[in-house]
Amino acid sequence: MKYSKKIAILLFVAGCFSSAKAQNFKSTDPIAVNQKIKKGVLPNGMTYYIYPTEVNKNTASYYIIQNVGSILENDQQKGLAHFLEHMAFNGTKHFEGKGILNTLQKQGAVFGKNINAYTSTDETVYNLDNIPSKDGGVVDTCLLVLHDWSNFLSLTNEEIDAERGVITEEWRTRQNAGARIYNQLAPYYYNNSLYAERMPIGDMDIVKNFKYQVLKDFYKDWYRPDLQAIAIVGDINADEIEAKIKKLFADIPTPQNPKKRFEIAIPERLEPTFKLALDKEISTSNISFMIRHETEKSTNTYAELEKTTQQRLSFSILNNRLAEMAQKQECPFKGAKIGYQNYSRLNDIWIMSISPKPEKQAEAFALVMKEWVRAYKFGFSKGEIERAVTETISGYENYLDKQNEISHKQVIGMVKDDYLKHDVIADPVAEFKMVKSILKNIDTKILQEQISKLYTQKNRVVTVTGVEGEENLTQEKAFDIIQKAENDSSLQAYVDTFEGKTLLGNLKINPGKIVSEKKETAIDATTFVLSNGVKVHYKFADKNKKQVNLEAESQGGISLYKFEDMPSAYRSTSLAMMSGIGELSNVDLEKVLKGKIANSYVTISSLKEEVSGSANVKDIETMMELVHLRFVQPRFDLQMYDLLKQRLQNSLKNRENDINAKMQDSMSNIVYGKNNPKIRPLDQKYIDDLSFEKMKSIYLDRFADVSNFQFYIVGDVTPEVLKPLLEKYIASIKGIKRKEKFKIDVPEWTSKKIDRDVFIKMETPKSSVNIAFMKDYAYSQKNRILNSFLGDILTLRYTESLREKEGGTYGAQVKGSLVKDPIAKGGIQITFDCDADKVEHLLPIVYQEIDKIKKGEIASEDIEKTRKNYLKSREDSKNFNSYSMSLLSNYFEEGYNINDPKNFEDIVKNISAKDIQDFANALLANADSMEIVFKPLK
């Protein structure tokens, strides 16, 4: 994919509308290739990519991209491309059994996070992410893993049989209402082509019963070097890696008379098609109108860049209009988008996607169709185009500033598009020059012409995800809406009513002063005390170039209010954010901020109120203005209040159809009691208790005293730039200098021991297990780390026992946590889905693994894997400014220095099996316990 597509922004410059001369290009001029990436092809046909970057120091990521997916399966192999992906982790030539996982986990990698893979219809991709790269032996090991994944899977009969249950449980976990709806719609999306029959998860009858040779045949046919690319991205020496690749991968044989890697084109259809899909567990509707197109072969030229740039500009403006409409209560849709995107190897789609409000499907579809027709008939206003230009100038410049911070995954995304779709990885600076030329003559007629080409008559598909009991859109009505919109002679051009406004408007600011500065040498930070009593803790950090982050918090939060006021308290900041700020509505605010990379948010949680912000350094003053206004000129719009209530009411409608919502409500009622005043579930009484005046007064109360806030600012900004901004925008805010702390009133469980089976009607029968232990427990750094160790070691144990040995679940999630406020509590929580017929067999295993730890039966290998992961994760985190923010907040809030090894590294390095055993026994002795198992109602 082109660089411009990959960063998903339009490439504009301020000079495009000025007299500045832009370079002229021919339509056939090629897009320059990014020379930082090293690309080659081995004699056996394997492609390789190498991209050196220090965005994550001392780590590298390793990928193998297989140009193989479920589309290549025959009727007896449905699901085997995905099955083969699983088998890559179950034995290879050089890594027997779980050897890949065991080897890399010793380097701090985590299965599912750093070690993973995915299968789609057209490709299968394996990854080893953020593995230490300065140990040559580890680098060689990772390359050897890619080598084995290419052509040396063991595929033993025993491991194949063991994996059948795991994949069946993966299917069961993923087989929700959305998946069932997709299965209904796929024949229409793909016009009954092979894509509709080749979902990667496959056919479970085949997965459970296929003969071993069938899988091996698929592997032999398709896993071969001419259909494979490897990519290594990270803190590496590109020349050394290239030499290793050429030597190691040379033994992979060139295929003789290989099967042709075919591609499927979705057949054309002259007549439009329509499908209404229903499912008992669907609670919200959706409308999709798509028009399929044949994908044009990528030319990687100026002409192609010109077309995609113009398309993106048009859809960006159109979607801004739709987003603005959705902020009105009378609007019949919650959200809507229109765009053009790749769909399959040989097809792209123009697509309109709409989320209607309940009982508003026809109205929503009609309104969005009207806006689409208005756009391609009348185009866009000068102001709309200028704002889009201004926004994308900033985004592009920001990207260029941070080229060295492109993540490994972003690079891999570009590599995949280069290998699979033949879209070059462009040189961003060179491409930018092309875009300047493209924009010399841009106008609304060009944009209209570009998008109108996509609105063709053939290959049209309208699909509706309906809700039982609602008036769902019918084929007759949908086609009538389209026809009327296309022929609406009353349509007029869009009128841009926005007039030039500024963020501060007529607000007058009287700056304060910095009254003192104190150097915090232990963490190389500075504390500024302002004339209004505010303390600002600042640390320079440029791991993320030209980025600044602000956080401010004060204790109190929702805990200070009556239970009946909790809904208004929780939603007060939502109302303020929806309403805009100062003299600007939210719609106007978004337009004023076009081209600025700056934001600010406010939240009120149970125990505190917070203000946050982030910005590119050039827009730091805008961020400070926003923060200032959050305190001195918040905005509360009655129409936004009505819209907020309407949205909550809409989410409540048909909630009984949502199986996850039913489970959450059932758990809350069992654990805390049905009418516990301290727990406010989203129900009709919650909505009825909302009050505009209370929301406004609670917000004003929580943010009335800026002096009670601690500010933290981290980023690539010098004190000389920051200090005048602090005096103007923070020191100028008046405070009432009160002292507050949150109230402690924690809801209790209904019982010390909760053991319940809950039977619930579900379309795909399964059991969902929820187990938890909770106890008041002393908070300390060591206890917090021990609690995490306990949870992560249990995850390793359940992966081996529940998943691999029993084939009973796709995966058990275990979370160990220790919190300090409002009461120091520790605990572990265990959740997993499984076959309802196996749940009673699996439950004892959960407790057996816990008992083993309490008895001291803890594998040293599990401790070392966890230890290595924690140390590696800590080192990785230091590559980003967010680490410096954590350093500040922990130092001033918690009273310890995370840079001091005694507060983390020394603890982690010295944790023993006895420590974990003692902690588990102490935490779990007399702990409150919960076991709630959801089972299908037969």
Side-chain angles (χ1 to χ4, degrees), residues 499-517:
E499 299 177 359
K501 298 178 181 179
T502 61
L503 191 54
L504 294 179
N506 296 317
L507 180 66
K508 302 299 181 185
I509 298 176
N510 296 313
K513 293 289 184 183
I514 295 173
V515 296
S516 71
E517 295 182 29

Side-chain angles (χ1 to χ4, degrees), residues 341-602:
Q341 63 193 53
N342 180 249
Y343 196 52
S344 65
R345 280 290 170 85
L346 301 179
N347 290 96
D348 296 334
I349 55 169
W350 171 93
I351 184 165
M352 173 188 293
S353 182
I354 308 166
S355 298
K357 292 176 180 176
E359 306 290 357
K360 299 286 186 181
Q361 293 178 23
E363 292 175 55
F365 189 37
L367 185 57
V368 180
M369 275 300 308
K370 182 178 179 178
E371 288 308 308
W372 163 249
V373 175
R374 190 196 313 278
Y376 78 73
K377 281 189 176 180
F378 300 104
F380 309 103
S381 72
K382 181 181 178 181
E384 286 180 303
I385 295 173
E386 287 176 348
R387 286 195 297 275
V389 167
T390 302
E391 180 181 29
T392 52
I393 293 167
S394 172
Y396 192 80
E397 291 175 345
N398 189 53
Y399 187 87
L400 291 179
D401 285 340
K402 298 181 178 182
Q403 287 184 70
N404 294 330
E405 296 177 27
I406 302 172
S407 71
H408 292 187
K409 288 188 177 180
Q410 283 179 289
V411 175
I412 292 296
M414 291 187 279
V415 166
K416 286 193 295 184
D417 288 336
D418 182 277
Y419 179 64
L420 298 173
K421 300 175 184 176
H422 312 297
D423 286 343
V424 299
I425 302 172
D427 176 89
V429 175
E431 186 175 323
F432 187 39
K433 292 178 182 178
M434 282 189 164
V435 173
K436 296 181 199 178
S437 178
I438 290 168
L439 296 173
K440 271 194 310 183
N441 301 310
I442 197 85
D443 62 25
T444 184
K445 289 184 179 180
I446 292 173
L447 301 182
Q448 284 173 251
E449 181 182 356
Q450 195 57 253
I451 61 173
S452 62
K453 290 177 182 178
L454 304 175
Y455 194 62
T456 56
Q457 292 298 312
K458 60 183 180 180
N459 300 320
R460 293 184 169 195
V461 184
V462 178
T463 62
V464 179
T465 299
V467 177
E468 291 192 350
E470 279 195 23
E471 185 177 349
N472 294 305
L473 189 63
T474 63
Q475 175 175 318
E476 181 182 8
K477 183 67 175 174
F479 290 172
D480 181 60
I481 287 170
I482 294 172
Q483 184 180 31
K484 285 182 176 177
E486 291 172 345
N487 296 285
D488 186 353
S489 59
S490 68
L491 266 185
Q492 295 181 345
Y494 175 83
V495 177
D496 186 4
T497 58
F498 179 73
E499 299 177 359
K501 298 178 181 179
T502 61
L503 191 54
L504 294 179
N506 296 317
L507 180 66
K508 302 299 181 185
I509 298 176
N510 296 313
K513 293 289 184 183
I514 295 173
V515 296
S516 71
E517 295 182 29
K518 180 184 177 184
K519 298 293 183 182
E520 304 291 346
T521 55
I523 59 171
D524 191 22
T526 303
T527 296
F528 301 106
V529 178
L530 309 185
S531 52
N532 57 358
V534 170
K535 288 184 178 179
V536 180
H537 308 294
Y538 154 77
K539 182 173 175 61
F540 178 83
D542 61 353
K543 297 290 186 180
N544 300 110
K545 296 292 184 183
K546 298 191 178 182
Q547 179 178 314
V548 182
N549 290 89
L550 176 149
E551 294 181 6
E553 61 179 49
S554 170
Q555 288 192 359
I558 293 164
S559 70
L560 303 180
Y561 297 94
K562 299 175 182 177
F563 297 132
E564 59 265 29
D565 292 338
M566 285 174 61
S568 294
Y570 272 115
R571 303 288 173 173
S572 63
T573 50
S574 298
L575 174 61
M577 294 297 296
M578 290 171 63
S579 297
I581 200 168
E583 299 174 6
L584 302 173
S585 69
N586 199 43
V587 169
D588 285 345
L589 175 62
E590 290 176 3
K591 292 176 180 177
V592 167
L593 292 178
K594 292 294 185 187
K596 303 285 189 182
I597 298 179
N599 59 59
S600 175
Y601 301 94
V602 283

Side-chain angles (χ1 to χ4, degrees), residues 777-820:
Y777 205 86
Y779 184 89
S780 69
Q781 269 295 88
K782 183 171 183 179
N783 284 346
R784 186 182 66 81
I785 293 168
L786 280 168
N787 208 338
S788 294
F789 257 84
L790 176 59
D792 289 343
I793 288 174
L794 279 172
T795 298
L796 293 171
R797 292 296 86 222
Y798 292 143
T799 298
E800 183 174 311
S801 57
L802 295 176
R803 174 181 162 125
E804 302 299 339
K805 183 178 179 181
E806 296 292 336
T809 182
Y810 179 50
Q813 291 76 47
V814 186
K815 182 180 179 181
S817 62
L818 181 65
V819 298
K820 181 180 180 182

Side-chain angles (χ1 to χ4, degrees), residues 5 44 186 322 420 423 588 651 763 820 859:
K5 296 179 187 176
N44 58 16
L322 295 173
L420 298 173
D423 286 343
D588 285 345
S651 65
E763 294 300 297
K820 181 180 180 182

